[in-house]
Amino acid sequence: GESVGLHLPTLSVQEGDNSIINCAYSNSASDYFIWYKQESGKGPQFIIDIRSNMDKRQGQRVTVLLNKTVKHLSLQIAATQPGDSAVYFCAEIGTPDFGNEKLTFGTGTRLTIIP
Amino acid sequence: DTGVSQDPRHKITKRGQNVTFRCDPISEHNRLYWYRQTLGQGPEFLTYFQNEAQLEKSRLLSDRFSAERPKGSFSTLEIQRTEQGDSAMYLCASSFPDRGRGEQFFGPGTRLTVL
């Protein structure tokens, strides 16, 4: 079946350094890709999204890159801070139906920022 | 706090008992989603409402599960004859059509433990 997966389950980064979290997807019909951050004891929190007709999108300290050729998605976090420590999920919306935005999540990468 | 709220936050029950969870979405959001998350995994879609209409149910939602959103505001998720495999975090999310696709606002979840 269609799936969204991540390359690395854990990542440790020194505070102030940049981090890159990668994600592979298999559904070539996916229309939207989203990154969520989940802190311990909380629900996921939206970070940034990118539509399939784009290859890059920037937010505040975050950049998402989409490579449709190899079905790869990445999240770059610049100048990491202790508050960035969390589990990061990539997710996709596989249907062009604008009424239903059900998300298919990957398994997550745990990012730990080392002070 | 005007975010998504869920009640209870924790529920411990014995196998075979029925449980009901409540979700209060952000007031102007007409879309409401239920997801289930097990340890170390990403959330899995269960069902979706637009206003009071339940428009999609996952195959994960067996006959023992039922969800309602009677007035298009709060929603309930009931699990009958609970099994140990039902132990998970149940997450509710809401969204509004004019926001970016995939931007869902998650509640803190209800953690269910079935003994």
Side-chain angles (χ1 to χ4, degrees):
Chain A
E2 304 296 352
S3 66
V4 178
L6 298 180
H7 292 307
L8 296 173
T10 61
L11 178 64
S12 296
V13 175
Q14 203 74 34
E15 182 179 353
D17 287 352
N18 300 334
S19 69
I20 299 175
I21 301 172
N22 296 303
C23 176
Y25 66 94
S26 58
N27 183 1
S28 57
S30 292
D31 186 47
Y32 253 77
F33 301 90
I34 311 98
W35 283 98
Y36 276 84
K37 170 186 180 183
Q38 187 172 26
E39 297 175 276
S40 181
K42 297 183 179 180
Q45 178 185 8
F46 173 90
I47 301 174
I48 191 168
D49 61 1
I50 187 168
R51 195 168 181 179
S52 59
N53 62 356
M54 302 170 66
D55 54 20
K56 180 179 181 179
R57 191 165 186 216
Q58 288 184 295
Q60 186 177 13
R61 288 201 303 118
V62 295
T63 300
V64 56
L65 299 177
L66 176 63
N67 185 330
K68 293 181 289 294
T69 303
V70 295
K71 297 180 186 174
H72 183 267
L73 187 70
S74 68
L75 177 70
Q76 301 177 359
I77 305 174
T80 53
Q81 304 169 356
D84 294 330
S85 291
V87 177
Y88 289 81
F89 293 98
C90 63
E92 56 101 359
I93 296 176
T95 172
D97 174 10
F98 278 79
N100 186 348
E101 298 174 352
K102 70 176 183 182
L103 300 170
T104 299
F105 285 85
T107 54
T109 292
R110 180 174 297 281
L111 175 65
T112 301
I113 306 303
I114 304 167
Chain B
D1 188 343
T2 57
V4 178
S5 62
Q6 293 187 245
D7 183 69
R9 293 291 307 275
H10 304 272
K11 179 69 177 180
I12 300 174
T13 191
K14 293 182 178 179
R15 189 175 51 187
Q17 297 297 304
N18 299 342
V19 294
T20 300
F21 310 141
R22 177 180 170 123
C23 170
D24 286 90
I26 294 172
S27 59
E28 64 267 27
H29 287 186
N30 66 340
R31 297 175 181 171
L32 187 147
Y33 300 81
W34 285 98
Y35 294 85
R36 181 173 69 186
Q37 185 176 27
T38 53
L39 198 62
Q41 302 296 315
E44 297 174 292
F45 170 81
L46 292 179
T47 190
Y48 153 69
F49 289 86
Q50 180 154 311
N51 299 311
E52 66 276 9
Q54 187 174 19
L55 297 184
E56 185 170 346
K57 296 197 302 184
S58 164
R59 288 189 298 271
L60 293 174
L61 219 63
S62 74
D63 291 344
R64 297 184 297 106
F65 288 71
S66 63
E68 294 182 343
R69 195 183 183 197
K71 298 181 180 179
S73 57
F74 73 92
S75 176
T76 58
L77 177 68
E78 180 183 16
I79 309 175
Q80 296 181 329
R81 304 180 304 282
T82 52
E83 302 172 356
Q84 288 184 325
D86 297 332
S87 295
M89 176 75 82
Y90 289 84
L91 293 162
C92 174
S94 68
S95 71
F96 190 72
D98 285 350
R99 301 300 293 263
R101 291 199 79 202
E103 185 174 3
Q104 297 179 14
F105 294 79
F106 282 82
T110 294
R111 180 167 295 284
L112 173 65
T113 302
V114 182
L115 302 176

